[in-house]
Amino acid sequence: MSLIIDVQQLTKKYGNNTALNNVEFSLEKGAPVALVGPNGAGKTTLFSLLCGYIQPSSGNISVLGHSPGDSALFGRLSALPQDAQLDPRFSIAMQLSFYARLQGMSRKQAKNDTLRVLEMVGLLDAVNSLPSELSHGMRKRATIAQALLGSPEIVMLDEATAGLDPVNAREIRAIVADHASEVNFILSSHDLNELERLCDRVLYLENGKLKQHQTHGNNVNTRYLTLRMKQQYQDIIASISQIPSVEHIDMTQDREYLLTINNEHDVGNVEIELLNMLIKNNWSYTQIINGKTLENQLF
Ligand code: ADP
């Protein structure tokens, strides 16, 4: 077991404001890790501390066995800030090659590495484009390519999908999933649902305090079904409770229901019974999820 990050009793105060309060966690090499929490929870502060941009008020951080900011980490960890921008004056290739050269690569190595990372994010066709010639989603992918230059072992992406439409957000998640065996990704998001299928491990921050959670792969839990409806329907709870294997129903939020299934029944059959009931009543649903959503697991 090799720890890539070990954080002990980490506290960060800005004046009287405690942004992180006695945070402790350790991460092993492996699947992407999600750092989630509402705005102001302390995610960016934690990223900045891990990168060594700011110093803790107290506590210890070890990244790949070194203190953040240690020159031994140069090129081994990279971070993409939420507001990362491309320079409008230069082509994508020129900018990425420039950053690769800053890492100490020769001109030829920089060119090859630029092409490698652009291929990783599916942007080889845009190599000679100016940022203004790319869509918002493509520009985001170009900045992720920049974070992948030099093959760092840890890549932290701060709100990488913020402000993107669902299709582009999905593309970013696919890039992470496709390269998770080569790179240890840490992704932050204020949206719990967004990362639940991508990440096995969730660090949930709230008011500077940490709760941790293991999602067990793809969040399959045969004891539960989550049903999301298109709109509110009267009598829906009564109708669901007519299904024999449904033991219990909770309305977890507006138009979302968590069904507890009697273990002796096959969940596949419950889904069919549920669909038949919805069709019979002419009720529209948006999603049936096998298991609890991450939000329902955490709270
Ligand atoms: P998140 O990234 O989860 O939105 P932040 O780490 O940006 O949260 O902020 C955590 C808390 O620390 C917030 O209360 C924020 O106002 C405060 N904070 C962040 N950066 C600074 C700073 N440079 N100076 C003072 N307070 C800050």
Side-chain angles (χ1 to χ4, degrees):
M1 179 186 87
S2 58
L3 287 184
I4 54 165
I5 292 179
D6 191 25
V7 169
Q8 299 293 332
Q9 298 180 324
L10 180 65
T11 293
K12 176 66 187 177
K13 293 184 180 187
Y14 298 105
N16 288 331
N17 183 1
T18 305
L20 291 177
N21 189 352
N22 206 21
V23 164
E24 299 207 292
F25 67 93
S26 52
L27 301 179
E28 289 165 32
K29 220 168 165 337
V33 173
L35 177 62
V36 286
N39 288 332
K43 302 182 296 294
T44 304
T45 299
L46 183 55
F47 268 23
S48 303
L49 287 161
L50 292 171
C51 292
Y53 300 151
I54 55 174
Q55 293 300 313
S57 305
S58 59
N60 288 310
I61 307 172
S62 164
V63 178
L64 299 167
H66 301 276
S67 297
D70 191 313
S71 60
L73 290 173
F74 186 65
R76 298 185 66 192
L77 166 139
S78 79
L80 180 66
Q82 190 177 344
D83 50 4
Q85 299 287 339
L86 295 160
D87 192 319
R89 296 168 299 174
F90 304 108
S91 72
I92 301 301
M94 278 177 82
Q95 304 196 41
L96 265 56
S97 295
F98 172 73
Y99 285 112
R101 297 272 285 156
L102 283 184
Q103 289 191 10
M105 291 184 213
S106 69
R107 201 175 286 278
K108 186 153 188 266
Q109 283 170 328
K111 189 177 167 208
N112 287 342
D113 210 44
T114 295
L115 295 177
R116 181 186 68 84
V117 294
L118 285 176
E119 185 169 23
M120 283 174 85
V121 302
L123 272 188
L124 265 186
D125 290 349
V127 61
N128 293 317
S129 304
L130 287 169
S132 58
E133 292 166 334
L134 303 182
S135 68
H136 182 36
M138 290 164 95
R139 285 200 294 274
K140 195 70 190 180
R141 281 191 274 151
T143 59
I144 292 174
Q146 186 186 320
L148 294 166
L149 284 168
S151 305
E153 288 150 74
I154 302 174
V155 172
M156 301 195 286
L157 305 178
D158 197 3
E159 297 274 5
T161 56
L164 294 182
D165 60 68
V167 174
N168 278 297
R170 199 180 324 130
E171 277 183 12
I172 304 275
R173 288 196 294 274
I175 292 168
V176 171
D178 287 350
H179 300 287
S181 58
E182 310 136 57
V183 183
N184 296 287
F185 284 102
I186 307 178
L187 298 110
S188 86
S189 173
H190 61 279
D191 182 356
L192 285 166
N193 291 320
E194 141 135 59
L195 299 178
E196 69 180 305
R197 281 169 199 287
L198 191 60
C199 301
D200 281 1
R201 175 100 185 265
V202 177
L203 303 175
Y204 184 77
L205 270 176
E206 196 170 7
N207 285 328
K209 292 211 166 168
L210 187 70
K211 292 179 194 174
Q212 297 189 52
H213 190 77
Q214 205 83 26
T215 63
H216 303 298
N218 278 340
N219 185 33
V220 173
N221 180 342
T222 50
R223 288 261 312 146
Y224 298 97
L225 280 180
T226 302
L227 170 68
R228 291 202 179 119
M229 300 300 294
K230 209 164 179 177
Q231 62 189 76
Q232 198 88 51
Y233 296 104
Q234 245 189 355
D235 302 332
I236 184 160
I237 293 186
S239 297
I240 297 172
S241 55
Q242 300 288 314
I243 301 172
S245 51
V246 175
E247 251 177 17
H248 186 75
I249 308 156
D250 282 312
M251 187 166 154
T252 39
Q253 53 178 298
D254 193 29
R255 294 176 283 115
E256 184 185 287
Y257 304 89
L258 179 65
L259 281 55
T260 307
I261 310 300
N262 184 326
N263 252 346
E264 288 167 23
H265 289 78
D266 175 6
V267 169
N269 289 337
V270 180
E271 282 180 337
I272 291 166
E273 289 174 59
L274 187 61
L275 284 170
N276 282 339
M277 183 279 288
L278 296 174
I279 292 164
K280 202 175 100 199
N281 287 291
N282 210 11
W283 288 338
S284 307
Y285 70 98
T286 54
Q287 233 180 349
I288 297 177
I289 301 162
N290 203 356
K292 289 182 178 186
T293 63
L294 179 60
E295 206 157 16
N296 290 331
Q297 290 180 47
L298 281 166
F299 302 108

